[in-house]
Amino acid sequence: MPAARESLLDAAYAALARRPWSAVRMVDVAAVAGVSRQTLYNEFGSKEGLARALVRREADAYLAGVDRALATHTDARERLAAAAEWTASAARDNALVRAMLTGCWGERLPAPTLSAVPSSSAVPAQRRADGPLPSPADFVALVRDRAVTLLSVPGPGGPGGPGAHKPDTAELSRTCELVFRLALSCLSAPPGEGGVADLVRTALQRQPVRF
């Protein structure tokens, strides 16, 4: 992503932390980023375009964090526990991530339509932002499928070691979805530090999947 675009998104995110999105002004975002207002409009087209790009960036960052969490450990259960803990912490620290995962946007946040909007932008990143944005159900499927892809491969990088049993894909998919939905349930009533991972470990002890 070009430096100017990233700086503008950083400025918009910082402005959103201080005031409601309705009070965020494009001219102020451009000034904080150190670029002209015309550059801002060239990149995003409108304030709605800026909102969509900001939501898309935070969604991508959250999913990248899921990927990192799933690669943190060699034990499959610990990988899922780490992904669940990341989900809870990301939602706690980032209001946009929390809104995307729960569907509860609130009055302070932008609330772009999740369906694609007509785009005439010449900027590839903006054309992507103008496409469909993920709903809570989309996130469930995206995280579940990421986990299944990683954990269904036996040997190094997958569950067990060389020659390990390959889990049944349907059962594994249900288990991964269960873990993510358990993490989401903790967003409204968060447990103490490390509590999400502990809940996941306990739940996985009862699951039929052989990791």
Side-chain angles (χ1 to χ4, degrees), residues 38-74:
Q38 186 59 51
T39 297
L40 174 57
Y41 279 99
N42 289 344
E43 282 290 334
F44 303 104
S46 64
K47 188 176 180 181
E48 171 70 10
L50 176 61
R52 295 186 70 85
L54 186 58
V55 169
R56 169 52 68 185
R57 185 182 74 162
E58 299 310 306
D60 289 345
Y62 163 70
L63 291 172
V66 170
D67 291 340
R68 289 193 300 271
L70 288 170
T72 300
H73 301 278
T74 57

Side-chain angles (χ1 to χ4, degrees), residues 124-140:
Q126 189 58 37
R127 290 200 300 271
R128 180 168 180 261
D130 289 338
L133 297 173
S135 68
D138 292 331
F139 277 114
V140 170

Side-chain angles (χ1 to χ4, degrees), residues 55 95-96 99-100 102-112 114 134:
V55 169
L96 285 174
M100 284 185 282
T102 63
C104 300
W105 289 89
E107 296 180 356
R108 290 186 57 85
L109 300 177
L114 298 182

Side-chain angles (χ1 to χ4, degrees), residues 107-195:
E107 296 180 356
R108 290 186 57 85
L109 300 177
T113 176
L114 298 182
S115 58
V117 298
S119 180
S120 59
S121 176
V123 180
Q126 189 58 37
R127 290 200 300 271
R128 180 168 180 261
D130 289 338
L133 297 173
S135 68
D138 292 331
F139 277 114
V140 170
L142 287 167
V143 174
R144 178 199 64 208
D145 293 347
R146 276 168 154 77
V148 168
T149 297
L150 179 65
L151 299 180
S152 61
V153 181
H165 168 79
K166 183 176 181 179
D168 175 80
T169 301
E171 286 290 349
L172 180 59
S173 179
R174 284 191 289 270
T175 296
C176 292
E177 182 167 334
L178 169 67
V179 166
F180 185 56
R181 290 187 180 277
L182 179 60
L184 292 180
S185 74
C186 294
L187 301 188
S188 58
E193 184 176 353

Side-chain angles (χ1 to χ4, degrees), residues 75-82 84 151 171-172 174-180 182 197-211:
D75 180 79
R77 290 184 176 86
E78 289 303 315
R79 287 178 171 185
L80 289 174
L151 299 180
E171 286 290 349
L172 180 59
R174 284 191 289 270
T175 296
C176 292
E177 182 167 334
L178 169 67
V179 166
F180 185 56
L182 179 60
D198 288 341
L199 286 172
V200 168
R201 294 186 189 102
T202 300
L204 290 179
Q205 290 175 0
R206 305 172 182 273
Q207 291 304 299
V209 175
R210 293 170 55 196
F211 287 106

